[in-house]
Amino acid sequence: MTASLLLDMRDVSVTFDGFRAINSLSLALRPGEMRAIVGPNGAGKTTMMDIITGKTRPDTGTVRFQGHDLTRLDEPAIARLGIGRKFQKPTVFEALSVTENLLLSLKGVRSPFAVLMARMNAQERERIDHLLRLTRLEAVADQPAGGMSHGQKQWLEIGMLMGQEPELLLVDEPVAGMTDAETMATADLLREINRTRSVVVVEHDMDFVRALGVGVTVLHEGSVLAEGTLDAVSADPRVIEVYLGR
Amino acid sequence: MHRVRTTCLLAALWLGAMLLPGHGARADAFADLASPQLGAVTAAISTLAASPDPQAGAALQALGERSLFAAPDGNVYIRHGENYVEARTGQPAASVPEGMKPIRLNNRIRAALAGVQAGRDLLASQPATRLRAADALYARHDPAMLPAVEHALAVEKDAAVRTRLTEVRAATILGQPPAPDALASRLEAVRALGGVGGAQARGILAGVAASDAEAPAVRHEAQQAVSRIDWHLRAWGVAQNAFYGLSYGSVLLLAATGLAITFGVMGVINMAHGEMMMIGAYVTWMVQQAIRATVPALEPVAILVAIPVAFGVCGALGIVIERGLIRFLYGRPLETLLATWGLSLILQQAVRSIFGPTNIAVQTPGWLSGAVAVGGMDITLNRLAILVFAGLVLGGLMLVLRHTPLGLQMRAVTQNRRMAALMGIRTPRVDALAFGLGAGLAGLAGVAVSQIDNVSPNLGQSYIIDSFMVVVFGGVGNLWGTLAAALALGMGGKVLEPTIGAVSAKIAILVLVILYIQRHPRGMFPVRGRGVES
Amino acid sequence: MNPFSTHAPRSLRGVIWMAVAVVVAASCLAVASLLPEGNLLHASAFVVSLAGKYLSYAMLALAVDLVWGFAGILTLGHAAFFALGGYAMGMYLMREIGARGVYGNADLPDFMIFLSWKSLPWYWWGSEHFIWAAVLVVAVPGLLAGVFGWLAFRSRVSGVYLSIITQALTYALMLAFFQNGLGFGGNNGLTDFKDILGADLHAPHTRAVLLVVTGVLLAASLLAARFVVGGRFGNLLVAVRDAESRTRFLGYRPEQAKLLVWVFSAMIAGVGGALYVTQVGIINPGEFAPANSIESVIWVAVGGRGTLCGAVLGAILVNMGKTLFTAWLPEFWLYGLGLLFICTTLFLPNGLMGLWRHARKPPPEEVTPEVADTQGDEA
């Protein structure tokens, strides 16, 4: 059964200075699935992402990705396994040009000596051109990323994520601060991406989650409160209690 | 040439004295006081000291006061103002003989006289005087004084003096060459001395243990006593080093708390912190000079006046630096480091230009000078005072951080600057005040350091690297960490010092801290949790 | 953090120009020093050794710029690598003295005889061979940097913490080298050199050749540095400098990239130190003083952090200024240096190169400095 799962978190707990950020959380994701994670502030959404990507080491529990034990690996190793992460605040390399940003992200050379000797080849050129088109950044390809608008940086980061060719994408609040139109466009993009890759989206915006039309996991105080379709969990009295009954 | 002539003259005189008719018959102790032979003089002093003749005491006193004169006829006279009396009889001299010379007084004679004095004092009415006399004799262990010591021991009632006298007796006995019949007394003496301990007793006992003339039993006993004393001395040496370490740790604590506060609140390292200390030390000096010039009566407490003044001056200077320089570099900690380094060069050179490059003499008031002996270690009062002062400063600082609005705001900014700003805390004001507080604390450290170290424009540089080590070792935002790190580094250095030397100890400590930081990149007491990593 | 375009400063053309300029200038000065004394263009031995010193310092500046300008590691201890390279070369030069020392011992340097040592310590073995000395010049700083960097970067020591421990490192080395027992001449260091490779160190020809060699090695270091930071690796370093944790999520190990450039930088500094010793004629523990390291940082800041040419330019200009200043107004030099630190950080964050670039062509669009984002918690 485990073998058929892409990501399998079991009984994961982590404590910061006595505060239980994650409390025996279990989460399973099939290959090709897209899942939305919702929950109030402090529910442990970002910490969960930190655990999957190796930034935070859990105190107890197991995290498996395609059979690999992620709790024993650090961030670069996990990234190389094929887990990409997009942060809530767009983080691109501001002093580098858009092309250079994308080039660094491309799946391939990672060891420092290989990077030292690497020169861009035709295949890489092609992949970058493809990503530039996809993210509509062709016009600013040679400009420093630091000078771009917020929206352009978001798109560049998504482009970099695509360049990594990950099996699983972790996307943290992708539509925070977006207009309704941009939100819907982003939902379309994520569905597009989901055709070839698995995706976990953390999001507050229920309209956006509805637009994705995927399974929802509700986190509360570091553990799973409910799981199912958006309509099902919305009707769950415990979820209503958490979201409204305060 | 001159020297040769003097030597010949002395030789001639000596020969002449030997050939004088009736020399043996007239060889009384009084005349021997004027003898050119030191041995004869000291023997005469011992004889006179033991004599009941009141004139003997008068003569010895006159000798010590340089008012004893020798005439060419062999008689000695005591001068009273313009008049002379004959030392032997106490009769005024009928006529002052020609060619009288004062009897010379050198260190050996002085020591002999001191022994005599001590012998007399053994019978004085004050126990303190008797104890002092016993101490003097203990250092001399002159066999001639043995009867006096034994006599005193027989009549002594005071327990402390008795103990001391027993020791004196033991030291004196062991000071004499061993005789076969004295085995028991020597053994007893060795045991008595072993009980005393101390470097002096160890010296005597080691001599006994190494002496081939000594009986094996005595040597063995002495050897054991020596190793016992050695262990004792080593233990006290460790305690003494621990005190030095504690003292250096307290100085480091004073120097590092200010640095830790600015680092914690603002994330910047103030490379001019050492120069703030230096300025604090110069302020101390200026306050002393001003008080000496205006109200000399207050001079002993000038150092206390200097404490708030140095805090104020350095604190104000710190605020000026923050407002005029640091705030423009906000968010660029590494650039701040470079700019404050530049500032430190300017401050150093400015002080050098104004006060000169050499050390200035900051006075240590009488009530801070001297030392208290605790067992086998010396506690110097100035270091003790700094230890207490550092404790007070740390306590005061904790009170400020815990119980004042500024402290609350500073802690808030330390933990989450952005959140604090959103809560309505004016972070620029907190920055300025935190930097001022840090600089003011450096000023206090300067006052303390002025009491134990040379005050020169380079003063800051000798403390700054150690202070940095304390801050990075202790971790940010936790004064307990700073305290632990300061004491650990202070003690660590001094504990290693006796075995590997001062410089190697310093290197070892630096390397250890570097290695420690590699394992614990945020120090001993890191702030943990999500969002800490920057 | 302070984003600026990296295209112009890393341009190959600029670096080649600088390399050529350095070699040409050094060669011209070398030729001028060989002209007869009365000639108008004659350069004195003092000027030649001064120029050699500046160029050696320029290598140190280049090394500092590699790690600070590109990898964001503010080193306050790079003079340690410079001095280690200097000591490695100094050992060879000491052995070259041979029996011409004061004590006339062919095997032991004077200071060891003075300490009544009977034989060379093991780490002096082979120091009579120039080749071995040349190996040590790069290997010792490289090894120390490797061990230190491996420990530091692996455990993610960064920022101010890293700066402080680099300072502690050079301070500890200074204290160690001051000790006679270490076997490097204690206080006095290594000096009174006579020959290098059999050529008299005080002869004008030797000095001229040394100056040209220094120029050529500086040019070579410039080109090598350009190779390291010019391509994708340079981009990676800049990425690590500005957003280290982001590179981890891309699958890079920033500590390895940092270690590589750190060791390379230490080796360049070591070569600079070796060249310095041959031309200045002395190496002593004072070279390890933390103040020296910090001064080398300001050369880079003045020239332009993150620009290879700027580092070289800054080192030469600041040291020229120092020479002139200390000759005319010695007591004001520290004021000048202090102000240089403050003014550069306040008003000239991109150094002279930034100023020049700005004057030549104003940037097409103003880059918005996101100063408040340095906390950058992505959590």
Side-chain angles (χ1 to χ4, degrees):
Chain A
M1 173 193 162
T2 316
S4 67
L5 290 175
L6 182 70
L7 179 73
D8 186 15
M9 294 179 82
R10 285 194 190 178
D11 277 334
V12 173
S13 296
V14 69
T15 308
F16 294 127
D17 281 337
F19 168 68
R20 285 221 136 179
I22 296 285
N23 191 4
S24 65
L25 175 91
S26 296
L27 185 83
L29 201 71
R30 294 183 310 279
E33 187 184 350
M34 169 140 69
R35 176 78 58 87
I37 310 281
V38 299
N41 278 327
K45 304 186 295 285
T46 302
T47 306
M48 187 196 84
M49 302 273 243
D50 285 348
I51 290 173
I52 298 172
T53 52
K55 188 176 177 187
T56 300
R57 216 160 282 271
D59 299 336
T60 56
T62 58
V63 185
R64 295 197 155 269
F65 174 76
Q66 294 180 328
H68 300 277
D69 183 0
L70 296 189
T71 57
R72 296 164 155 276
L73 302 174
D74 61 356
E75 299 108 303
I78 292 171
R80 289 178 200 181
L81 281 180
I83 295 182
R85 178 171 183 184
K86 182 182 164 334
F87 290 92
Q88 188 177 340
K89 205 188 77 188
T91 321
V92 296
F93 306 120
E94 309 216 334
L96 301 179
S97 74
V98 170
T99 305
E100 287 166 340
N101 267 284
L102 290 172
L103 184 59
L104 276 184
S105 75
L106 286 187
K107 187 176 182 179
V109 282
R110 285 294 184 268
S111 94
F113 281 105
V115 176
L116 187 60
M117 297 302 164
R119 292 293 176 262
M120 201 196 291
N121 57 31
Q123 196 194 352
E124 286 174 331
R125 181 75 254 175
E126 209 171 288
R127 278 161 74 190
I128 287 175
D129 287 340
H130 170 72
L131 289 171
L132 285 173
R133 276 196 303 279
L134 189 77
T135 53
R136 299 168 207 164
L137 293 170
E138 292 144 300
V140 291
D142 291 323
Q143 283 180 23
M148 297 194 310
S149 72
H150 180 79
Q152 282 174 315
K153 284 182 190 169
Q154 290 276 25
W155 284 91
L156 173 57
E157 200 180 10
I158 291 174
M160 290 166 72
L161 212 50
M162 301 297 294
Q164 277 180 266
E165 297 175 24
E167 294 291 319
L168 170 65
L169 269 85
L170 304 177
V171 188
D172 201 351
E173 303 203 14
V175 297
M178 281 192 178
T179 62
D180 285 352
E182 283 171 335
T183 302
M184 290 308 133
T186 309
D188 289 342
L189 180 68
L190 284 180
R191 275 201 304 270
E192 172 71 25
I193 291 171
N194 182 226
R195 295 211 309 212
T196 48
R197 313 177 194 295
S198 312
V199 181
V200 171
V201 190
V202 164
E203 190 48 73
H204 273 304
D205 187 328
M206 285 305 154
D207 292 333
F208 175 71
V209 174
R210 194 173 296 281
L212 289 177
V214 295
V216 175
T217 299
V218 184
L219 290 193
H220 178 57
E221 287 178 354
S223 39
V224 176
L225 186 68
E227 219 164 38
T229 64
L230 183 59
D231 291 330
V233 298
S234 304
D236 191 320
R238 286 174 307 168
V239 175
I240 296 168
E241 161 80 19
V242 164
Y243 265 91
L244 303 171
R246 264 179 262 184
Chain B
M1 193 62 206
H2 182 231
R3 217 156 88 213
V4 174
R5 208 183 307 146
T6 318
T7 318
C8 292
L9 197 67
L10 280 176
L13 275 174
W14 182 75
L15 271 176
M18 293 299 284
L19 296 174
L20 269 176
H23 172 80
R26 287 189 46 203
D28 65 292
F30 286 98
D32 279 351
L33 286 178
S35 162
Q37 285 168 291
L38 276 177
V41 177
T42 49
I45 290 171
S46 297
T47 317
L48 287 176
S51 143
D53 181 358
Q55 276 312 118
L60 288 180
Q61 195 186 349
L63 178 60
E65 290 164 358
R66 286 176 173 276
S67 49
L68 194 67
F69 285 75
D73 61 1
N75 276 329
V76 286
Y77 296 88
I78 300 170
R79 188 174 70 181
H80 289 297
E82 291 299 305
N83 306 319
Y84 291 84
V85 297
E86 220 190 319
R88 203 181 328 240
T89 59
Q91 299 300 319
S95 61
V96 179
E98 286 291 310
M100 266 204 310
K101 288 197 186 113
I103 294 176
R104 68 202 165 120
L105 199 57
N106 63 16
N107 279 340
R108 244 182 92 184
I109 295 178
R110 254 188 224 111
L113 283 173
V116 168
Q117 184 63 38
R120 281 174 194 283
D121 285 349
L122 281 181
L123 303 172
S125 55
Q126 293 291 321
T129 314
R130 297 203 297 273
L131 197 59
R132 229 183 1 258
D135 283 345
L137 287 175
Y138 179 67
R140 288 165 42 79
H141 47 83
D142 174 5
M145 300 307 294
L146 196 55
V149 171
E150 279 176 342
H151 173 67
L153 200 51
V155 299
E156 184 59 61
K157 299 274 191 297
D158 186 281
V161 183
R162 268 194 80 83
T163 320
R164 193 65 177 149
L165 280 174
T166 319
E167 292 157 15
V168 172
R169 185 165 160 271
T172 313
I173 289 172
L174 289 177
Q176 295 170 45
D181 56 333
L183 184 68
S185 73
R186 288 185 83 82
L187 261 180
E188 189 200 342
V190 164
R191 282 192 201 106
L193 264 190
V196 188
Q200 251 169 14
R202 188 198 180 279
I204 298 170
L205 290 170
V208 170
S211 160
D212 290 328
E214 209 70 62
V218 178
R219 287 181 65 175
H220 178 73
E221 189 73 26
Q223 189 56 54
Q224 281 193 331
V226 165
S227 41
R228 256 200 318 278
I229 292 176
D230 277 350
W231 188 87
H232 221 68
L233 286 178
R234 217 173 299 134
W236 279 113
V238 168
Q240 181 79 63
N241 268 322
F243 174 68
Y244 283 142
L246 212 58
S247 160
Y248 187 58
S250 66
V251 173
L252 280 184
L253 177 65
L254 279 171
T257 40
L259 207 54
I261 282 186
T262 43
F263 189 30
V265 173
M266 306 167 70
V268 301
I269 279 280
N270 177 15
M271 297 288 275
H273 192 80
E275 277 58 42
M276 292 290 146
M277 281 174 70
M278 182 261 289
I279 289 172
Y282 273 86
V283 166
T284 312
W285 180 76
M286 285 193 284
V287 166
Q288 279 184 349
Q289 298 294 316
I291 285 182
R292 180 179 301 169
T294 51
V295 253
L298 287 180
E299 215 183 319
V301 292
I303 187 91
L304 298 181
V305 179
I307 291 173
V309 176
F311 183 81
V313 169
C314 292
L317 197 58
I319 290 177
V320 169
I321 292 170
E322 203 281 333
R323 290 287 83 189
L325 177 63
I326 311 288
R327 74 184 166 118
F328 299 111
L329 296 168
Y330 171 58
R332 294 156 64 194
L334 300 183
E335 275 87 344
T336 313
L337 206 148
L338 294 180
T340 50
W341 171 261
L343 187 70
S344 81
L345 295 181
I346 292 176
L347 289 175
Q348 258 178 54
Q349 188 59 30
V351 169
R352 209 171 280 135
S353 303
I354 298 170
F355 297 95
T358 48
N359 294 346
I360 55 165
V362 177
Q363 301 296 319
T364 300
W367 54 276
L368 278 180
S369 319
V372 184
V374 176
M377 65 188 222
D378 285 328
I379 306 283
T380 43
L381 286 178
N382 53 1
R383 289 187 177 273
L384 187 66
I386 289 174
L387 197 62
V388 173
F389 182 59
L392 291 177
V393 169
L394 186 71
L397 193 61
M398 284 188 170
L399 287 181
V400 167
L401 288 182
R402 294 249 164 95
H403 298 294
T404 65
L406 173 66
L408 181 65
Q409 293 178 357
M410 275 171 50
R411 282 185 293 142
V413 174
T414 303
Q415 282 170 21
N416 192 332
R417 167 172 293 268
R418 205 177 296 177
M419 183 64 95
L422 291 176
M423 300 282 287
I425 294 175
R426 283 187 287 158
T427 53
R429 187 172 154 275
V430 173
D431 285 344
L433 289 176
F435 204 84
L437 180 61
L441 288 167
L444 294 183
V447 177
V449 164
S450 76
Q451 295 300 305
I452 53 167
D453 207 344
N454 294 330
V455 176
S456 79
N458 302 330
L459 177 138
Q461 302 211 302
S462 39
Y463 287 94
I464 194 69
I465 290 193
D466 282 354
S467 311
F468 286 155
M469 289 294 111
V470 168
V471 173
V472 297
F473 188 36
V476 182
N478 189 331
L479 282 180
W480 292 114
T482 312
L483 174 69
L487 293 185
L489 294 196
M491 297 283 263
K494 296 291 173 189
V495 166
L496 288 177
E497 221 168 80
T499 38
I500 60 175
V503 181
S504 302
K506 203 157 185 128
I507 296 170
I509 289 288
L510 284 174
V511 171
L512 286 177
V513 172
I514 290 174
L515 290 177
Y516 185 85
I517 295 301
Q518 324 257 16
R519 291 217 68 78
H520 304 266
R522 302 278 157 194
M524 285 192 287
F525 294 91
V527 179
R528 293 208 316 128
R530 214 182 85 183
V532 164
E533 194 182 327
S534 57
Chain C
M1 191 193 252
N2 196 20
F4 46 82
S5 162
T6 55
H7 299 269
R10 286 193 285 160
S11 86
L12 184 57
R13 224 178 47 193
V15 170
I16 290 178
W17 268 112
M18 194 59 162
V20 169
V22 164
V23 173
V24 168
S27 310
C28 287
L29 203 56
V31 170
S33 74
L34 297 178
L35 293 173
E37 199 127 328
N39 195 301
L40 199 65
L41 294 174
H42 172 77
S44 69
F46 175 70
V47 170
V48 169
S49 85
L50 215 51
K53 190 163 108 173
Y54 295 162
L55 295 185
S56 315
Y57 279 153
M59 293 186 78
L60 174 57
L62 191 66
V64 170
D65 193 25
L66 273 175
V67 292
W68 184 40
F70 292 93
I73 307 162
L74 175 53
T75 163
L76 297 183
H78 242 54
F81 304 126
F82 184 82
L84 284 174
Y87 267 99
M89 179 55 73
M91 285 160 77
Y92 161 72
L93 295 176
M94 270 328 249
R95 298 294 300 279
E96 276 280 290
I97 298 173
R100 287 169 292 173
V102 176
Y103 295 102
N105 188 313
D107 295 324
L108 289 185
D110 278 351
F111 72 88
M112 290 192 191
I113 299 179
F114 188 73
L115 295 171
S116 48
W117 289 15
K118 294 287 168 265
S119 60
L120 282 174
W122 60 267
Y123 42 85
W124 277 74
W125 288 351
S127 56
E128 69 271 26
H129 304 295
F130 180 82
I131 295 295
W132 179 239
V135 168
L136 287 185
V137 161
V138 290
V140 172
L143 198 67
L144 177 67
V147 172
F148 181 87
W150 184 72
L151 288 168
F153 302 143
R154 186 188 54 146
S155 48
R156 302 190 188 176
V157 182
S158 63
V160 174
Y161 281 89
L162 189 61
S163 300
I164 295 301
I165 64 167
T166 54
Q167 190 182 25
L169 175 75
T170 193
Y171 185 65
L173 280 169
M174 178 179 78
L175 293 178
F177 273 76
F178 264 123
Q179 297 204 301
N180 280 330
L182 200 67
F184 290 106
N187 259 348
N188 303 324
L190 309 177
T191 188
D192 291 333
F193 308 130
K194 307 263 191 263
D195 289 351
I196 181 165
L197 290 169
D200 182 4
L201 268 173
H202 304 283
H205 284 87
T206 317
R207 294 179 156 275
V209 168
L210 280 173
L211 181 60
V212 174
V213 167
T214 310
V216 168
L217 283 177
L218 174 58
S221 308
L222 259 171
L223 294 173
R226 168 63 178 67
F227 172 77
V228 168
V229 301
R232 200 179 298 184
F233 187 74
N235 290 342
L236 178 59
L237 285 182
V238 171
V240 167
R241 177 191 73 191
D242 293 346
E244 177 168 340
S245 65
R246 186 73 182 84
T247 62
R248 281 203 188 92
F249 293 112
L250 284 182
Y252 291 99
R253 292 189 191 281
E255 61 273 17
Q256 291 179 351
K258 286 203 239 180
L259 185 62
L260 186 65
V261 73
W262 176 254
V263 170
F264 176 63
S265 158
M267 288 175 168
I268 291 187
V271 174
L275 293 167
Y276 172 89
V277 168
T278 58
Q279 291 167 92
V280 175
I282 181 168
I283 179 87
N284 62 31
E287 296 295 331
F288 286 102
N292 283 12
S293 294
I294 302 182
E295 238 181 278
S296 67
V297 172
I298 205 62
W299 306 336
V300 177
V302 167
R305 175 189 172 196
T307 68
L308 298 173
C309 299
V312 173
L313 203 66
I316 295 175
L317 287 181
V318 174
N319 279 296
M320 275 179 149
K322 182 177 187 173
T323 307
L324 297 178
F325 226 124
T326 43
W328 293 333
L329 299 162
E331 65 273 33
F332 287 98
W333 164 241
L334 278 185
Y335 289 121
L337 187 61
L339 279 176
L340 196 61
F341 270 96
I342 293 174
C343 295
T344 310
T345 45
L346 279 185
F347 306 118
L348 215 58
N350 292 334
L352 292 174
M353 291 303 279
L355 206 63
W356 187 62
R357 238 182 303 139
H358 190 76
R360 226 167 53 130
K361 49 167 188 192
E365 63 185 294
E366 198 51 48
V367 171
T368 33
E370 297 199 12
V371 172
D373 279 352
T374 45
Q375 311 290 83
D377 43 341
E378 298 122 351

